[in-house]
Amino acid sequence: MSQQRSAVINLYKTLLHLGRDWPQGYDLFRKRLHKVFIKNSEETDPKKIQTMIKHGEYVVKEIEALYMLKKYRTMKRRYYDEK
């Protein structure tokens, strides 16, 4: 149980850190993230919690991929003049 708790806390911290660069702003990202975590805070089924952790890790990877794509497009625009 404590392992899942620490995994959830680490996931929350990771998502908060990634939210700093969110296009619509950090405050909106933080509010939505907090709302989702509070909504699921009463869950006690370990299998369901593990499923939600896996989904959260997937979301982290998706956000990282989104940021990498944004950086790639910026670099491409910067160095390859589109004519």
Side-chain angles (χ1 to χ4, degrees):
M1 192 69 165
S2 67
Q3 282 182 329
Q4 282 184 333
R5 179 175 166 77
S6 63
V8 169
I9 291 170
N10 285 335
L11 179 64
Y12 186 75
K13 287 180 181 180
T14 302
L15 285 166
L16 272 180
H17 181 73
L18 287 173
R20 290 187 199 164
D21 296 329
W22 194 249
Q24 287 88 16
Y26 177 70
D27 288 334
L28 177 67
F29 185 89
R30 189 179 57 76
K31 285 177 188 174
R32 287 184 179 174
L33 180 66
H34 185 72
K35 187 165 58 170
V36 169
F37 272 75
I38 290 297
K39 183 182 88 174
N40 294 317
S41 67
E42 298 298 319
E43 186 61 53
T44 56
D45 182 22
K47 288 185 179 186
K48 217 170 185 186
I49 293 171
Q50 193 61 36
T51 304
M52 287 188 269
I53 291 171
K54 292 288 184 197
H55 179 73
E57 291 169 352
Y58 173 78
V59 169
V60 167
K61 289 178 185 175
E62 287 293 313
I63 291 173
E64 288 173 343
L66 191 97
Y67 290 166
M68 290 296 173
L69 181 63
K70 183 179 174 184
K71 286 181 183 179
Y72 168 76
R73 287 180 175 164
T74 302
M75 294 290 281
K76 187 177 176 186
R77 233 180 280 121
R78 193 172 291 160
Y79 291 107
Y80 299 105
D81 191 20
E82 296 177 20
K83 294 180 181 179

